Amino acid sequence: MQAVGPKEKHRRLLYVNQVALAHSAYREADIDRAQSLLTNCPTDLRDFAWSYLWRLCHVVPTTPTIPHSAPVNAVAFSPRDEILACASGNTIKLWNPSTRNLMATLEGHTGTVHTLAFSPDGTMLVTGAADRIMILWDVPGQREIRRLPKQAGPVVSMAFSSHGETVAAGIPSGEVVLWDVNTGKSVSFAEEGRNTIFSIALSPDGSLLAVTGIQKTTLWD
């Protein structure tokens, strides 16, 4: 059995350390560094550990993507995860999240769509935009049902009530709008001091409305 000299021992130790570093780089998702370290390993020392890491570095996971021609400002899944609504520019696209096929394109806004929400049963979609308009859509029919005329400012946040009959909407200037989707009628009220509104949410039982602004959240009955 041939003895291993100090120089060879040092070379093998460097190899082990290099493989260990490659493993660490792979775990940190730095695939380029891992591949570089493995490529520089001596060919005569490459063992099972090297081969295993090399295969891992060359298996690229498939990440589903849906391309858009403009920035996507809002997304929402339907209650049964059958539809993914994406607001891009002034249009809303409905996608099948399983096949990533386009189901429909909803057009009606003239400004950038900032927010959207599905009704609890998934049959309706409400959208709000920079054009200060809210539109209620029939999802199965892929058509506009009705719209609420221009508000005091852009519509930045929306939420459906649990019974699906009321939509709450937030306007940055501090105004909250409650819209009856059956009658088309609406009422509005202003936050105290017209606090800037960033987001709104309705409680599951529909009895409370949370309104977020600058350094505070207001609860409304």
Side-chain angles (χ1 to χ4, degrees):
M1 192 176 205
Q2 188 175 4
V4 178
K7 187 174 181 180
E8 181 61 17
K9 285 183 180 179
H10 180 66
R11 190 172 77 97
R12 293 185 181 184
L13 180 60
L14 286 177
Y15 163 76
V16 171
N17 288 338
Q18 202 154 337
V19 171
L21 288 172
H23 184 236
S24 296
Y26 173 79
R27 293 184 64 181
E28 295 171 3
D30 191 348
I31 306 301
D32 289 340
R33 174 166 166 73
Q35 289 179 346
S36 176
L37 287 164
L38 292 173
T39 300
N40 292 326
C41 287
T43 56
D44 62 315
L45 296 180
R46 296 175 183 178
D47 53 5
F48 174 80
W50 185 94
S51 299
Y52 179 70
L53 274 175
W54 183 259
R55 285 196 298 272
L56 287 180
C57 288
H58 286 79
V59 175
V60 180
T62 302
T63 303
T65 58
I66 297 175
H68 291 82
S69 59
V72 180
N73 299 303
V75 293
F77 276 104
S78 62
R80 295 192 180 119
D81 297 335
E82 298 170 341
I83 301 172
L84 174 64
C86 300
S88 179
N90 62 356
T91 63
I92 303 95
K93 294 184 181 295
L94 304 182
W95 301 86
N96 182 317
S98 299
T99 63
R100 298 187 296 284
N101 290 330
L102 180 63
M103 301 171 65
T105 299
L106 306 179
E107 297 178 320
H109 285 287
T110 58
T112 299
V113 180
H114 292 310
T115 179
L116 46 77
F118 277 99
S119 62
D121 63 3
T123 62
M124 294 184 291
L125 178 74
V126 67
T127 57
D131 56 13
R132 300 186 290 166
I133 290 174
M134 292 188 281
I135 299 179
L136 183 69
W137 305 89
D138 171 13
V139 176
Q142 301 173 4
R143 63 181 181 85
E144 181 180 325
I145 299 175
R146 62 171 51 92
R147 61 175 58 199
L148 195 61
K150 287 191 174 182
Q151 303 302 303
V155 184
V156 296
S157 183
M158 308 182 86
F160 254 102
S161 62
S162 58
H163 49 66
E165 296 178 355
T166 304
V167 170
I171 313 298
S173 59
E175 187 171 304
V176 176
V177 180
L178 298 179
W179 185 23
D180 187 318
V181 298
N182 293 321
T183 65
K185 295 180 179 180
S186 67
V187 294
S188 60
F189 55 90
E191 274 275 89
E192 184 180 351
R194 300 199 73 84
N195 179 46
T196 299
I197 294 177
F198 294 133
S199 180
I200 62 172
L202 281 163
S203 62
D205 65 0
S207 64
L208 291 175
L209 175 68
V211 181
T212 69
I214 299 176
Q215 298 181 331
K216 79 171 184 176
T217 297
T218 306
L219 290 176
W220 290 85
D221 179 358

